[in-house]
Amino acid sequence: MADLSTVLVTGAGGRTGQIVYKKLKERSDQFVARGLVRTAESKETIGGAGDVFVGDVRDAATLLPAMQGVDSLIILTSAVPRMKPGFDPTKGGRPEFYFEDGAYPEQVDWIGQKNQIDVAKEVSLKQIVLVGSMGGTNPNHPLNSLGNGNILIWKRKAEQYLADSGVPYTIIRAGGLQDRDGGMRELLIGKDDELLQTETKTIARPDVAEVCIQALKFEEAKFKAFDLASKPEGVGTPTKDFKALFSQITSRF
């Protein structure tokens, strides 16, 4: 078992986190999978296995059991805006959003991710893959106004903290996430939100999950930060050579 890499996925109960956890489990010849979720209910949702830990990213002490003996960490925790009840789409206008108490982006995306990075450093992890979001170069991005959460600003702050931590990192700033099958499209690498000015600014969740796992396998992915989207299905050639994909990236942040 010594040559297997133990990988912890935080946010393993989330829509992308579940896919990463499942993909790691399917590759038991390469990885030992672990998951971290927020509640016992989430643990049951993804199978309730003994390798799924319950912890609160806002409380660093609760993260230690999950991180002991781990080689790599994939961070997929994120604050989630909720729609205020009573919105009627037939009446026009826009829905209003809010964050639940204690679950604002500052607490989850900044303090929660900072705690994860600190504990990972404490246990001498070899690599951290952090999934963020495109749009962080624009403080006035519409996502920041949702629930007054400034979500991209806090995510960006956590990304910078990781880049400055000294731990080998890969920062993936995903485009608009889509619930579609993966492995069908040509993936696109960008930087500084340039892809947001194009028609190709979305990506399937399983493709993000695959890039997270592939980033653990290639030196070319370390100390890199990049935007990630894909061409439409049927355009270009589905990406299979991840070493070549990571080799295109020149930006450290």
Side-chain angles (χ1 to χ4, degrees):
M1 293 287 281
D3 55 348
L4 291 183
S5 175
T6 301
V7 184
L8 174 66
V9 183
T10 60
R15 284 192 287 171
T16 309
Q18 284 188 39
I19 302 170
V20 177
Y21 174 71
K22 185 165 174 276
K23 277 178 177 279
L24 287 167
K25 296 280 276 188
E26 287 165 356
R27 296 175 203 186
S28 55
D29 58 327
Q30 300 170 55
F31 300 105
V32 177
R34 279 192 199 175
L36 181 86
V37 295
R38 208 161 41 107
T39 63
E41 293 78 46
S42 283
K43 178 170 176 166
E44 290 308 313
T45 305
I46 61 170
D51 57 25
V52 178
F53 294 74
V54 177
D56 183 345
V57 295
R58 298 165 304 176
D59 177 1
T62 70
L63 305 179
L64 258 174
M67 286 213 206
Q68 294 288 1
V70 167
D71 296 301
S72 307
L73 169 65
I74 300 176
I75 299 179
L76 273 158
T77 50
S78 178
V80 180
R82 311 275 180 202
M83 195 189 292
K84 284 187 179 172
F87 172 67
D88 182 352
T90 60
K91 293 182 178 166
R94 292 189 167 181
E96 288 186 41
F97 291 87
Y98 70 100
F99 290 95
E100 290 173 354
D101 279 350
Y104 273 81
E106 181 178 0
Q107 293 153 311
V108 179
D109 294 275
W110 165 234
I111 294 165
Q113 292 188 354
K114 178 178 178 292
N115 284 341
Q116 293 176 68
I117 294 159
D118 288 345
V119 176
K121 205 168 168 176
E122 204 178 304
V123 298
S124 305
L125 251 79
K126 299 185 183 115
Q127 187 178 358
I128 298 176
V129 176
L130 172 63
V131 177
S133 176
M134 282 201 271
T137 60
N138 175 15
N140 300 313
H141 193 285
L143 282 178
N144 285 324
S145 62
L146 287 187
N148 295 322
N150 284 324
I151 189 162
L152 296 180
I153 290 171
W154 293 114
K155 281 183 185 292
R156 194 86 175 176
K157 194 172 161 75
E159 291 169 8
Q160 186 68 64
Y161 188 79
L162 174 57
D164 293 340
S165 70
V167 180
Y169 64 87
T170 308
I171 296 168
I172 301 168
R173 300 183 181 117
L177 294 168
Q178 296 189 315
D179 294 310
R180 295 187 175 176
D181 289 341
M184 324 274 281
R185 296 168 197 81
E186 185 171 321
L187 303 183
L188 298 168
I189 295 288
K191 62 174 186 176
D192 299 332
D193 293 332
E194 289 160 355
L195 289 171
L196 289 179
Q197 312 309 316
T198 71
E199 294 300 303
T200 46
K201 45 180 178 269
T202 60
I203 183 154
R205 288 180 191 276
D207 286 334
V208 176
E210 189 61 38
V211 172
C212 287
I213 294 170
Q214 293 290 340
L216 303 176
K217 295 164 71 169
F218 297 102
E219 286 297 315
E220 289 80 1
K222 288 182 179 172
F223 299 105
K224 301 267 181 88
F226 56 97
D227 299 345
L228 182 68
S230 70
K231 292 183 178 177
E233 198 176 324
V235 178
T237 311
T239 298
K240 301 281 184 250
D241 185 343
F242 288 91
K243 181 172 178 151
L245 185 78
F246 297 130
S247 297
Q248 296 173 35
I249 306 160
T250 53
S251 47
R252 289 177 70 95
F253 189 78

